[in-house]
Amino acid sequence: MRTAVNSNKSLYTSLVSGFFFPLHERLKKHDSVAIRKKMEESQWWDRNRLQDYQLSRLRNFLLNVEAHVPYYRHLFAELDFDVANIQSLSDLERIPLLNKSIIRENTEALKSYQAQHLIRNNTGGSSGEPLVFFIGKQRVSHDIAAKWRATRWWDVDIGDTEMVIWGSPIELGAQDRLRNLRDWILRTRLLPAFEMSEQKLDQFLDEIRRVRPKMLFGYPSALSHIARHADEKGLAMGDLGIKVAFVTSERLYDEQREQISQVFNCPVANGYGGRDAGFIAHECPNGGMHITADDILVEIIDEEGNTLPHGQAGEIVVTHLATHDFPFIRYRTGDMGVLDDQACACGRSLPLLKEIQGRSTDFVVAHDGTVMHGLALIYILRDIPEINAFKIVQESLDVVKIWVVAHAVLNVALIRKIEQDFKGRLGQSVSIIVEQVDQIPPEKSGKFRYVISKVAHR
C-alpha cells in the first residue's frame, strides 16, 4: 500500500527540498532530482517489470563498459563474452569477481575513456585494506537519489533539521565556508564521533536538546553510546519530536536499536552501503531491508565464488549500474549477508536483504577451525553488568585480546570466568588476555568495531 510522503512538511522544508536543493544539484551538474522521482515510481513496479528494467540497464551498462573501459574490453574479449546477447541477469555470473586487489592493480585501466571530472575517493580501510577509486557525476547523482528516496520513506525530507554524528575524515575535513553555508541552509548539524568523553557526550546531548532535530544520523555505536549516557544521567530525550534515527556503516545490534529507540522515542532505520559499493539497501517503516535494485544488483556467494540461493548466508557481491566512469561489476564487499525471497508488507517490489551479518573480519575462528560470528563472544561480555564497553581482537588462532572498560577494577574471579567462557567457545588451549582500560578509541574513521579477527577463514 502506498503511503504519503512527508505530509506535514513545513514551508521551509518544502522550499529547501523543492527549490534550494534541486538548484544546488543542478549547479553541480547532478541529475539526482529526476532520478529520485523515477525511483519513487519504480519502487512500486511489480517484480517482473523491475527485473526487465534491471536486465535492460545491465545490458546497456556492460555495452558502454565494453566500449570505453580498457580493463573490461580486454577481459570480455578473453572470455569471448557477448554482451549484446545477454538474456538474463544470471548471465552476469560469467564475469569474474572484482576485488580491492584487482582495482589497485588496474586503477587506470578501470577508468572510462569518456569519464570527465572524476572524483578521487577512498574507503577507510577498517577491513585492513584501504582502497582508492574514482566516481563520476552519474554515480553521485544515483547514490544521492537513492538515499533521498529512502529518507522520504520515514516522513522526513531534505530541509528538516538533522543532527549527524559522524567520524569520516572526508566529511569532517570538508567543512569550508561553502559547505558550512549549505549545511546551515539544509539545517544539518555535524558533530564529530571521534571522541566520546563524558564532557563531549554532555555537549552532544545539550546540542540535540537545543536543536530538536527531526532526524538523527550516525554510526549505531555512536548513537547508542550517546543514548546510554543520557539514560545514565537521567536526561529526558524522548520529548524532542525526533521522527527517526538513521544508522549506517556498522552492524546494528538489537540492543543498540532498543537503546536508541527508547531514549529518543523514535524508530531506528538501518542503512547499508559504502563509499565503494554505493547505497545498497535501506530499511522501510515496515522493517524490510530493501535493496536499491533499480541501481544495484546483489548476489550472495560462497567461499568458492559460487552464487547462493535466497536464504543461504555468504559474501555480498554488488554490481552498481551507474558506475560507467569507473565500473564496480561483481564487486566483493567483504560483508556477509542473506537474501530474502519474501515480499515486504509496505508493497514495494524492491527485493530484501534478510540479514546483514557484518564484515568477514567480524567472524572468529575457533582453534579447531570452526568459524563463528563474533556475537558468540560479544554475548559473554554484554551480559556482565560491571562492564561498560569492550573490544575483542583475535590476533591468531592461539591468542585473543580483550579490552574492557568497567565501573571498577574487575576482580580476579570475574576475569577468570571471562577467560573460561571464551575458552569454552574458542578452545582450551587459546590464550585469553583481558586488559582493563580507561577508554577504547574508535577506528580512524570514527566507527567502532566490537570484534576484529586477524585470522583468515574459509
Side-chain angles (χ1 to χ4, degrees), residues 33 151 186 324 358 391 412:
V33 177
T151 298
L186 297 182
H324 298 69
K391 186 168 188 173
V412 174

Side-chain angles (χ1 to χ4, degrees), residues 334-355:
D335 296 329
M336 310 297 286
V338 181
L339 285 173
D340 198 347
D341 59 358
Q342 300 300 308
C344 183
C346 73
R348 295 177 178 88
S349 63
L350 301 173
L352 303 173
L353 274 172
K354 186 175 183 179
E355 294 179 37

Side-chain angles (χ1 to χ4, degrees), residues 30 116-121 133-137 140:
H30 293 164
Q116 294 181 336
H117 311 297
L118 286 177
I119 302 169
R120 185 182 186 274
N121 214 320
F133 59 98
F134 294 84
I135 59 177
K137 290 185 181 296
V140 173

